[in-house]
Protein backbone atom coordinates (compact mmCIF):
# COMPACT_ATOMS: atom_id res chain seq x y z
CA UNK A 1 0.00 0.00 0.00
CA UNK A 2 2.76 2.47 0.82
CA UNK A 3 4.61 1.67 -2.38
CA UNK A 4 1.42 2.08 -4.42
CA UNK A 5 0.68 5.46 -2.78
CA UNK A 6 4.15 6.68 -3.44
CA UNK A 7 3.79 5.61 -7.08
CA UNK A 8 0.61 7.67 -7.49
CA UNK A 9 2.37 10.68 -6.01
CA UNK A 10 5.32 10.29 -8.36
CA UNK A 11 2.97 9.99 -11.36
CA UNK A 12 1.09 13.14 -10.26
CA UNK A 13 4.33 15.11 -9.97
CA UNK A 14 5.49 13.87 -13.37
CA UNK A 15 2.21 14.82 -15.08
CA UNK A 16 2.20 18.26 -13.40
CA UNK A 17 5.78 18.85 -14.50
CA UNK A 18 4.97 17.83 -18.07
CA UNK A 19 2.00 20.19 -18.14
CA UNK A 20 4.20 23.07 -16.97
CA UNK A 21 6.93 22.31 -19.50
CA UNK A 22 4.63 21.63 -22.44
CA UNK A 23 2.14 24.41 -21.79
CA UNK A 24 -1.46 24.52 -22.95
CA UNK A 25 -2.02 28.13 -24.09
CA UNK A 26 -0.15 30.79 -26.04
CA UNK A 27 1.34 33.24 -23.57
CA UNK A 28 1.21 36.94 -24.27
CA UNK A 29 4.48 38.63 -25.17
CA UNK A 30 6.16 41.00 -22.78
CA UNK A 31 6.81 44.59 -23.78
CA UNK A 32 10.06 43.64 -25.54
CA UNK A 33 8.24 41.26 -27.93
CA UNK A 34 9.67 38.06 -26.35
CA UNK A 35 7.45 35.37 -24.95
CA UNK A 36 8.00 34.75 -21.25
CA UNK A 37 7.08 31.72 -19.20
CA UNK A 38 4.78 32.69 -16.33
CA UNK A 39 6.84 30.40 -14.09
CA UNK A 40 10.45 30.99 -13.14
CA UNK A 41 12.37 27.68 -13.11
CA UNK A 42 15.85 27.50 -11.65
CA UNK A 43 17.99 24.88 -13.34
CA UNK A 44 21.03 23.30 -11.69
CA UNK A 45 24.00 25.61 -11.98
CA UNK A 46 21.92 28.79 -12.06
CA UNK A 47 23.27 31.50 -9.83
CA UNK A 48 20.97 32.12 -6.90
CA UNK A 49 19.25 35.46 -6.82
CA UNK A 50 20.90 37.84 -4.38
CA UNK A 51 19.12 38.06 -1.08
CA UNK A 52 17.24 41.30 -0.52
CA UNK A 53 18.13 43.23 2.56
CA UNK A 54 15.27 44.52 4.62
CA UNK A 55 14.63 48.20 4.44
CA UNK A 56 16.93 50.18 6.66
CA UNK A 57 19.97 47.90 6.68
CA UNK A 58 21.61 44.57 5.84
CA UNK A 59 21.87 41.30 7.68
CA UNK A 60 24.07 40.50 10.66
CA UNK A 61 27.66 41.59 10.20
CA UNK A 62 26.99 43.76 7.16
CA UNK A 63 27.57 47.46 6.97
CA UNK A 64 24.51 49.65 6.64
CA UNK A 65 23.69 50.84 3.12
CA UNK A 66 24.89 54.38 2.39
CA UNK A 67 22.17 57.02 2.47
CA UNK A 68 20.67 57.95 -0.87
CA UNK A 69 19.43 61.29 -2.16
CA UNK A 70 15.86 60.81 -3.27
CA UNK A 71 15.58 64.34 -4.75
CA UNK A 72 14.93 64.31 -8.51
CA UNK A 73 17.79 65.64 -10.64
CA UNK A 74 17.34 69.24 -11.71
CA UNK A 75 16.25 69.81 -15.33
CA UNK A 76 18.88 71.49 -17.52
CA UNK A 77 18.50 75.25 -17.73
CA UNK A 78 16.91 76.45 -20.98
CA UNK A 79 19.19 78.13 -23.51
CA UNK A 80 19.48 81.89 -23.07
CA UNK A 81 17.40 83.91 -25.54
CA UNK A 82 19.47 86.44 -27.48
CA UNK A 83 16.82 88.11 -29.68
CA UNK A 84 13.07 87.81 -30.15
CA UNK A 85 10.17 89.62 -31.76
CA UNK A 86 10.38 93.39 -31.45
CA UNK A 87 14.18 93.58 -31.02
CA UNK A 88 16.11 95.88 -33.36
CA UNK A 89 19.71 96.64 -34.23
CA UNK A 90 22.79 95.48 -36.03
CA UNK A 91 22.75 92.00 -34.43
CA UNK A 92 19.24 91.39 -35.77
CA UNK A 93 20.49 92.43 -39.22
CA UNK A 94 23.24 89.81 -38.99
CA UNK A 95 20.74 87.16 -37.94
CA UNK A 96 18.54 88.04 -40.92
CA UNK A 97 21.50 88.09 -43.32
CA UNK A 98 22.57 84.62 -42.17
CA UNK A 99 19.00 83.30 -42.45
CA UNK A 100 19.01 84.57 -46.05
CA UNK A 101 22.17 82.55 -46.75
CA UNK A 102 20.40 79.29 -45.81
CA UNK A 103 17.18 80.28 -47.65
CA UNK A 104 14.99 80.63 -44.57
CA UNK A 105 14.42 84.35 -45.13
CA UNK A 106 14.00 86.20 -48.41
CA UNK A 107 13.17 89.77 -47.32
CA UNK A 108 15.45 92.30 -45.66
CA UNK A 109 17.62 92.49 -43.72
CA UNK A 110 15.60 95.18 -42.03
CA UNK A 111 17.18 95.23 -38.57
CA UNK A 112 13.79 94.58 -36.94
CA UNK A 113 12.84 91.14 -35.52
CA UNK A 114 9.42 90.95 -37.21
CA UNK A 115 6.90 88.19 -37.94
CA UNK A 116 8.85 87.00 -41.01
CA UNK A 117 12.04 86.66 -38.95
CA UNK A 118 10.20 84.77 -36.21
CA UNK A 119 8.75 82.32 -38.77
CA UNK A 120 12.16 81.86 -40.38
CA UNK A 121 13.82 81.10 -37.02
CA UNK A 122 11.04 78.68 -36.09
CA UNK A 123 11.42 76.83 -39.40
CA UNK A 124 15.20 76.66 -39.02
CA UNK A 125 14.82 75.28 -35.48
CA UNK A 126 12.27 72.64 -36.46
CA UNK A 127 14.41 71.41 -39.37
CA UNK A 128 17.26 70.74 -36.95
CA UNK A 129 15.31 69.15 -34.12
CA UNK A 130 15.39 72.21 -31.86
CA UNK A 131 12.36 73.56 -29.98
CA UNK A 132 10.35 75.70 -32.40
CA UNK A 133 10.10 78.84 -30.29
CA UNK A 134 10.79 81.41 -33.00
CA UNK A 135 13.17 83.09 -30.54
CA UNK A 136 16.90 83.04 -31.25
CA UNK A 137 18.62 81.41 -28.28
CA UNK A 138 22.29 80.54 -27.86
CA UNK A 139 21.86 76.99 -29.23
CA UNK A 140 20.01 78.17 -32.35
CA UNK A 141 22.57 80.94 -32.93
CA UNK A 142 25.56 78.59 -32.66
CA UNK A 143 23.94 76.17 -35.12
CA UNK A 144 23.32 79.01 -37.59
CA UNK A 145 26.87 80.34 -37.18
CA UNK A 146 28.25 76.92 -38.08
CA UNK A 147 26.29 76.86 -41.34
CA UNK A 148 26.93 80.39 -42.63
CA UNK A 149 29.69 82.89 -43.37
CA UNK A 150 30.30 86.32 -41.88
CA UNK A 151 28.02 88.79 -43.72
CA UNK A 152 29.65 91.75 -45.43
CA UNK A 153 28.41 95.32 -45.08
CA UNK A 154 26.19 95.16 -48.14
CA UNK A 155 24.77 91.82 -47.02
CA UNK A 156 23.66 93.57 -43.83
CA UNK A 157 22.29 96.56 -45.74
CA UNK A 158 21.16 94.77 -48.89
CA UNK A 159 17.86 96.65 -48.86
CA UNK A 160 19.19 99.95 -47.52
CA UNK A 161 19.00 101.41 -44.04
CA UNK A 162 22.74 102.07 -43.71
CA UNK A 163 23.97 105.24 -41.96
CA UNK A 164 25.25 108.08 -44.10
CA UNK A 165 28.86 109.25 -44.01
CA UNK A 166 29.59 112.91 -43.19
CA UNK A 167 28.63 115.17 -46.11
CA UNK A 168 31.11 116.43 -48.66
CA UNK A 169 32.32 119.97 -47.94
CA UNK A 170 30.73 121.15 -51.18
CA UNK A 171 27.31 120.21 -49.76
CA UNK A 172 27.42 122.62 -46.81
CA UNK A 173 25.98 125.68 -48.53
CA UNK A 174 22.78 126.21 -50.49
CA UNK A 175 20.22 123.64 -51.61
CA UNK A 176 22.01 120.40 -52.43
CA UNK A 177 21.34 116.78 -53.38
CA UNK A 178 24.47 115.43 -51.65
CA UNK A 179 25.16 111.93 -53.05
CA UNK A 180 27.84 109.71 -51.45
CA UNK A 181 29.00 106.64 -53.35
CA UNK A 182 30.89 105.24 -50.34
CA UNK A 183 27.92 105.03 -47.97
CA UNK A 184 25.42 104.74 -50.87
CA UNK A 185 23.26 107.50 -49.50
CA UNK A 186 21.66 110.73 -50.68
CA UNK A 187 21.24 113.64 -48.26
CA UNK A 188 18.85 116.45 -49.13
CA UNK A 189 20.52 119.46 -47.52
CA UNK A 190 19.50 123.08 -47.16
CA UNK A 191 22.08 125.59 -45.87
CA UNK A 192 24.18 122.87 -44.23
CA UNK A 193 21.21 121.15 -42.54
CA UNK A 194 20.20 117.59 -43.51
CA UNK A 195 16.46 117.51 -44.25
CA UNK A 196 16.22 113.83 -45.22
CA UNK A 197 18.44 110.87 -46.09
CA UNK A 198 17.70 107.91 -48.38
CA UNK A 199 19.62 104.86 -49.58
CA UNK A 200 20.59 105.00 -53.25
CA UNK A 201 22.06 102.70 -55.90
CA UNK A 202 24.40 103.58 -58.76
CA UNK A 203 25.45 102.39 -62.19
CA UNK A 204 27.58 99.31 -62.79
CA UNK A 205 31.24 99.43 -63.83
CA UNK A 206 30.09 99.45 -67.47
CA UNK A 207 27.60 102.30 -66.99
CA UNK A 208 29.04 104.28 -64.06
CA UNK A 209 27.35 107.23 -62.39
CA UNK A 210 29.36 110.36 -63.11
CA UNK A 211 31.00 112.21 -60.22
CA UNK A 212 31.32 115.95 -59.75
CA UNK A 213 29.19 119.03 -59.14
CA UNK A 214 26.06 119.43 -61.25
CA UNK A 215 22.63 121.03 -61.04
CA UNK A 216 19.09 119.80 -61.62
CA UNK A 217 18.10 120.96 -65.11
CA UNK A 218 14.84 119.04 -65.67
CA UNK A 219 12.21 117.26 -63.58
CA UNK A 220 9.87 114.63 -65.08
CA UNK A 221 7.24 113.04 -62.80
CA UNK A 222 6.31 110.04 -64.97
CA UNK A 223 9.38 109.71 -67.15
CA UNK A 224 10.13 106.61 -69.25
CA UNK A 225 13.63 106.04 -70.59
CA UNK A 226 13.77 106.25 -74.38
CA UNK A 227 17.10 104.41 -74.40
CA UNK A 228 16.16 101.44 -72.14
CA UNK A 229 12.34 101.68 -72.33
CA UNK A 230 12.12 101.50 -68.53
CA UNK A 231 10.08 103.63 -66.10
CA UNK A 232 11.91 106.42 -64.27
CA UNK A 233 9.28 107.97 -61.95
CA UNK A 234 10.15 111.19 -60.10
CA UNK A 235 13.16 111.78 -62.37
CA UNK A 236 15.42 114.75 -61.58
CA UNK A 237 18.04 115.01 -64.35
CA UNK A 238 21.44 116.44 -63.46
CA UNK A 239 23.98 115.17 -66.09
CA UNK A 240 22.91 114.25 -69.60
CA UNK A 241 20.59 111.25 -69.33
CA UNK A 242 21.53 110.57 -65.68
CA UNK A 243 18.93 111.39 -63.06
CA UNK A 244 17.88 110.73 -59.52
CA UNK A 245 14.67 108.64 -59.72
CA UNK A 246 12.58 105.90 -58.12
CA UNK A 247 13.48 102.30 -59.09
CA UNK A 248 11.08 99.40 -58.62
CA UNK A 249 13.99 97.03 -59.30
CA UNK A 250 15.99 98.55 -56.47
CA UNK A 251 12.94 98.23 -54.21
CA UNK A 252 12.67 94.53 -55.09
CA UNK A 253 16.32 93.41 -55.36
CA UNK A 254 18.28 95.92 -53.34
CA UNK A 255 21.98 96.08 -54.06
CA UNK A 256 21.85 92.78 -55.92
CA UNK A 257 21.33 94.92 -59.05
CA UNK A 258 22.60 98.19 -60.51
CA UNK A 259 21.37 101.07 -62.64
CA UNK A 260 22.45 102.19 -66.10
CA UNK A 261 24.14 105.22 -64.54
CA UNK A 262 21.23 106.90 -62.77
CA UNK A 263 20.95 107.35 -59.01
CA UNK A 264 18.19 104.93 -57.93
CA UNK A 265 15.99 105.43 -54.86
CA UNK A 266 13.99 102.45 -53.50
CA UNK A 267 11.70 104.32 -51.11
CA UNK A 268 8.85 105.64 -53.28
CA UNK A 269 7.30 107.78 -50.55
CA UNK A 270 10.65 109.42 -49.80
CA UNK A 271 11.42 110.17 -53.47
CA UNK A 272 7.95 111.61 -54.02
CA UNK A 273 8.48 114.04 -51.11
CA UNK A 274 11.96 114.87 -52.36
CA UNK A 275 10.66 115.48 -55.88
CA UNK A 276 8.15 117.98 -54.48
CA UNK A 277 10.90 119.96 -52.65
CA UNK A 278 13.72 120.02 -55.21
CA UNK A 279 13.75 122.84 -57.78
CA UNK A 280 15.42 123.21 -61.12
CA UNK A 281 18.83 124.78 -60.52
CA UNK A 282 19.45 123.07 -57.16
CA UNK A 283 22.98 121.75 -56.80
CA UNK A 284 23.89 118.06 -57.11
CA UNK A 285 27.18 116.76 -55.66
CA UNK A 286 28.23 113.16 -56.45
CA UNK A 287 31.37 112.03 -54.62
CA UNK A 288 33.21 109.07 -53.07
Amino acid sequence: MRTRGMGRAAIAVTVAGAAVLAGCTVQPADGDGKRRSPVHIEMPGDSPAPARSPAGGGGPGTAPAPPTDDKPSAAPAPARVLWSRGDTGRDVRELQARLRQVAWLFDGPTGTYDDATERAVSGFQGKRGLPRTGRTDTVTWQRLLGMTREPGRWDLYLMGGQPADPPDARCRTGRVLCIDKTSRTLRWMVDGRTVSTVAVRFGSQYTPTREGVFSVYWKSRDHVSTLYDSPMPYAMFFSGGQAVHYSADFAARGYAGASHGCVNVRDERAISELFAQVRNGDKVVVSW
Side-chain angles (χ1 to χ4, degrees):
M1 294 296 291
R2 183 175 183 182
T3 303
R4 188 179 302 170
M6 291 179 63
R8 290 198 192 100
I11 292 171
V13 170
T14 302
V15 172
V20 169
L21 294 177
C24 298
T25 60
V26 177
Q27 301 298 330
D30 282 358
D32 59 3
K34 298 180 180 180
R35 302 193 184 281
R36 306 292 187 191
S37 169
V39 179
H40 174 72
I41 303 175
E42 288 188 9
M43 300 300 292
D46 280 0
S47 299
R52 298 194 176 200
S53 299
T62 61
T68 59
D69 186 1
D70 293 334
K71 294 181 180 179
S73 58
R80 180 168 61 91
V81 174
L82 300 175
W83 312 290
S84 59
R85 187 194 298 207
D87 288 340
T88 60
R90 192 268 182 201
D91 290 340
V92 175
R93 281 188 180 276
E94 181 174 348
L95 167 68
Q96 293 169 331
R98 289 180 183 272
L99 287 169
R100 284 180 62 89
Q101 290 181 33
V102 291
W104 275 106
L105 189 66
F106 299 96
D107 296 332
T110 64
T112 297
Y113 205 116
D114 52 13
D115 291 346
T117 304
E118 186 175 62
R119 289 193 300 270
V121 170
S122 177
F124 176 84
Q125 290 170 328
K127 185 72 173 180
R128 280 142 193 91
L130 303 174
R132 297 182 64 134
T133 64
R135 299 185 297 273
T136 303
D137 55 36
T138 53
V139 175
T140 301
W141 180 237
Q142 288 301 319
R143 185 69 62 88
L144 184 59
L145 286 178
M147 298 176 61
T148 54
R149 59 172 176 78
E150 180 75 20
R153 182 181 186 189
W154 301 115
D155 294 319
L156 297 174
Y157 295 101
L158 178 66
M159 308 307 288
Q162 68 274 16
D165 287 347
D168 187 280
R170 295 169 290 181
C171 300
R172 296 188 182 278
T173 58
R175 298 164 56 88
V176 190
L177 290 172
C178 190
I179 300 167
D180 187 338
K181 283 189 169 183
T182 301
S183 63
R184 300 182 182 182
T185 56
L186 180 157
R187 290 175 182 260
W188 168 231
M189 302 185 67
V190 178
D191 297 331
R193 179 177 64 89
T194 299
V195 178
S196 60
T197 305
V198 294
V200 291
R201 187 178 73 171
F202 305 103
S204 68
Q205 60 177 323
Y206 305 106
T207 56
T209 302
R210 289 183 281 274
E211 299 155 26
V213 179
F214 312 93
S215 62
V216 175
Y217 71 88
W218 180 36
K219 293 171 63 181
S220 178
R221 167 64 179 77
D222 298 306
H223 194 79
V224 177
S225 170
T226 56
L227 183 59
Y228 299 106
D229 193 29
S230 59
M232 298 171 58
Y234 307 103
M236 294 173 279
F237 289 89
F238 62 88
S239 176
Q242 295 190 355
V244 176
H245 69 84
Y246 171 72
S247 169
D249 182 75
F250 185 23
R253 300 174 58 206
Y255 291 111
S259 76
H260 291 101
C262 287
V263 178
N264 292 163
V265 178
R266 68 181 303 272
D267 186 334
E268 188 171 10
R269 182 190 60 79
I271 188 68
S272 69
E273 293 176 357
L274 186 61
F275 185 85
Q277 297 173 53
V278 173
R279 309 168 188 163
N280 286 342
D282 285 346
K283 187 163 57 175
V284 179
V285 176
V286 182
S287 64
W288 280 102

